[in-house]
């Protein structure tokens, strides 16, 4: 299969919202009046972000999901994306499921593939997403204020558990692994929640490198501190309750500190971490319901800089948790 045949067959579809899509030198997007363009780019590299054995359908899904998650964290509505793809071989048995996973999620979010670049080389997927947000309404990392409540959506730490099972450092019953693996391979970008939080949240970020590390970005850019309730956080990993239900006497009991570590420093969760004024508690609940996305209040933003971990009784818990860093 030749380069243009490949693009034509798998990635070119009739333009819908875009003024001009795949096929010319540039794509053209027209923004609605009063809207700002939100742009984000994420790259997935074989051996770094995924294993060579991963199902191409899931890879297509995840490559776009991690990008949509950035739009969600800004409260932006997805519009379109570009795909820069390096792949070793032009094989239908890889391209067909990859395109299906990618474009399936794109259709769910009405986000159109408008261009890209295709080259031969080690497998590497780079997507740039474009979204729109009303002028001045984007949710930023820099907006947290002392007194804000701190929330996180969904469940956190499950993707890390799946990774540890793959690495062979831990073993869990098959059903627990299966759901954790889905969390790792098919993250759900919280786009609806991000949109619902416009005008409510003061700040937001998506959890990609680990909850505490990503919280650190909010704290630094907002010039504030926070305390996080570790007893509440410990319940955020969905696998923990499942494990309690299905594990048998022959399964090794996992220490509470182990679950908490996966929650606080796991990564690859693609949940939204956000802050909102205490006066907005009812609005946060309404946004959670409207977007059908569970949220949990895990702490609060404080004037005193730095991060404090406290248990349910208010006792201080030592912070030994580190986040993912590509060059660490
Ligand atoms: P150029 O030579 O101008 O870079 P290309 O020959 O690389 O253009 O691409 C031709 C058209 O196909 C362009 O519209 C480009 O955006 C699109 N395209 C190339 N690769 C992809 C891809 N992987 N997905 C979607 N569109 C693509
Ligand atoms: Mg090109």
């Amino acid at each position: 299969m030749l380069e243009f045949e490949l693009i034509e067959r798998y990635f070119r579809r009739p333009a819908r919202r875009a003024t001009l899509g795949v096929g010319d030198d540039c794509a053209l997007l027209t923004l609605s009046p009063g809207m700002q363009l939100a742009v984000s780019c994420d790259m997935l590299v074989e051996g770094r972000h995924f294993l060579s054995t991963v199902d191409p359908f899931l890879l297509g899904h995840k490559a776009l999901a991690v990008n949509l998650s950035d739009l969600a964290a800004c409260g932006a509505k997805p519009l379109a994306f570009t795909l820069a793809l390096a792949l070793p071989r032009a094989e239908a048995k890889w391209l067909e499921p990859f395109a299906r996973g990618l474009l399936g999620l794109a259709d769910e979010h009405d986000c159109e593939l408008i261009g890209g670049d295709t080259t031969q080389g080690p497998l590497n997927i780079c997507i740039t997403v474009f979204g729109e947000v009303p002028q001045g309404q984007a949710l930023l990392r820099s907006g947290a204020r002392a007194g804000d409540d701190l929330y996180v959506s969904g469940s956190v730490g499950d993707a890390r558990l799946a990774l540890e099972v793959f690495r062979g450092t831990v073993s869990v019953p098959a059903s627990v692994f299966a759901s954790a693996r889905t969390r790792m391979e098919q993250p759900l970008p919280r786009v609806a929640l991000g949109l619902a939080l416009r005008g409510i949240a003061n700040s937001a970020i998506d959890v990609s490198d680990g909850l505490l590390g990503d919280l650190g970005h909010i704290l630094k850019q907002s010039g504030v501190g926070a305390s996080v309730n570790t007893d509440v956080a410990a319940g955020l990993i969905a696998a923990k309750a499942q494990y309690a239900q299905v594990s048998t006497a022959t399964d090794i009991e996992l220490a509470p500190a182990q679950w908490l570590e996966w929650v606080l420093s796991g990564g690859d969760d693609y949940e939204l971490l956000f802050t909102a004024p205490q006066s907005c508690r009812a609005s946060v609940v309404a946004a959670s319901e409207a977007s059908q996305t569970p949220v949990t209040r895990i702490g609060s933003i404080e004037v005193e800089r730095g991060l404090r971990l406290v248990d349910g009784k208010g006792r201080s818990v030592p912070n030994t948790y580190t986040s993912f860093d590509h060059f660490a």
Side-chain angles (χ1 to χ4, degrees):
M1 194 180 345
L2 299 172
E3 179 187 335
F4 295 106
E5 203 184 330
L6 181 163
I7 297 167
E8 210 43 53
R9 188 182 304 176
Y10 297 105
F11 301 122
R12 180 169 186 168
R13 301 197 299 178
R16 290 177 305 174
R17 183 192 302 107
T19 310
L20 183 62
V22 169
D24 212 305
D25 295 310
C26 287
L28 295 173
L29 274 182
T30 309
L31 287 188
S32 320
M35 291 292 190
Q36 278 178 315
L37 190 61
V39 182
S40 178
C41 175
D42 257 314
M43 183 159 65
L44 266 72
V45 176
E46 181 173 334
R48 192 75 207 169
H49 301 94
F50 59 90
L51 306 170
S52 59
T53 50
V54 72
D55 178 346
F57 174 86
L58 297 173
L59 190 57
H61 172 101
K62 185 163 177 176
L64 183 59
V66 303
N67 278 281
L68 291 175
S69 177
D70 285 314
L71 290 183
C74 268
K77 179 176 166 317
L79 295 175
F81 69 106
T82 59
L83 168 68
L85 185 62
L87 73 175
R89 292 167 299 278
E91 284 177 341
K93 77 170 198 297
W94 190 92
L95 279 157
E96 188 279 322
F98 174 80
R100 221 167 3 95
L102 179 83
L103 298 175
L105 184 67
D107 288 346
E108 274 175 44
H109 290 275
D110 200 14
C111 186
E112 193 171 4
L113 177 57
I114 54 167
D117 198 24
T118 308
T119 167
Q120 206 245 331
L123 188 55
N124 189 329
I125 302 156
C126 183
I127 288 180
T128 302
V129 277
F130 305 91
E132 66 178 13
V133 60
Q135 189 89 33
Q137 283 190 36
L139 307 177
L140 305 180
R141 297 178 179 187
S142 54
R145 297 289 168 262
D148 279 3
D149 291 320
L150 176 67
Y151 298 87
V152 67
S153 66
S155 62
V156 181
D158 296 277
R160 175 60 181 275
L161 167 65
L163 180 65
E164 293 303 328
V165 174
F166 273 118
R167 284 175 171 165
T169 65
V170 61
S171 85
V172 296
S175 63
V176 177
F177 174 55
S179 0
R181 183 179 177 171
T182 301
R183 291 283 301 151
M184 179 178 82
E185 293 182 336
Q186 265 188 301
L188 297 170
R190 300 301 195 179
V191 173
L193 177 63
L195 293 176
L197 288 172
R198 280 182 191 165
I200 298 169
N202 274 340
S203 68
I205 188 170
D206 66 323
V207 181
S208 54
D209 295 333
L211 195 155
L212 293 189
D214 289 321
L215 172 58
H217 296 305
I218 288 188
L219 300 185
K220 187 161 179 227
Q221 295 196 25
S222 302
V224 292
S227 67
V228 169
N229 183 321
T230 52
D231 287 350
V232 176
L236 288 170
I237 178 164
K240 191 180 179 189
Q242 277 175 287
Y243 189 86
Q245 276 189 347
V246 302
S247 65
T248 63
T250 56
D251 288 315
I252 300 163
E253 203 175 319
L254 294 168
Q258 178 63 86
W259 294 107
L260 184 61
E261 189 199 334
W262 290 330
V263 170
L264 296 181
S265 63
D268 241 11
D269 300 298
Y270 304 102
E271 294 293 352
L272 295 189
L273 182 66
F274 61 95
T275 77
Q278 285 178 30
S279 59
C280 287
R281 281 187 188 172
S283 314
V284 170
V285 170
S288 160
E289 283 169 4
S291 60
Q292 299 184 351
T293 311
V295 306
T296 309
R297 183 154 53 86
I298 59 164
S300 49
I301 299 298
E302 298 164 347
V303 177
E304 189 193 338
R305 304 278 180 109
L307 174 67
R308 289 157 291 281
L309 299 181
V310 290
D311 68 13
K313 296 200 174 75
R315 291 174 303 208
S316 139
V317 174
N319 182 0
T320 55
Y321 305 95
T322 54
S323 234
F324 185 77
D325 183 315
H326 277 286
F327 295 100

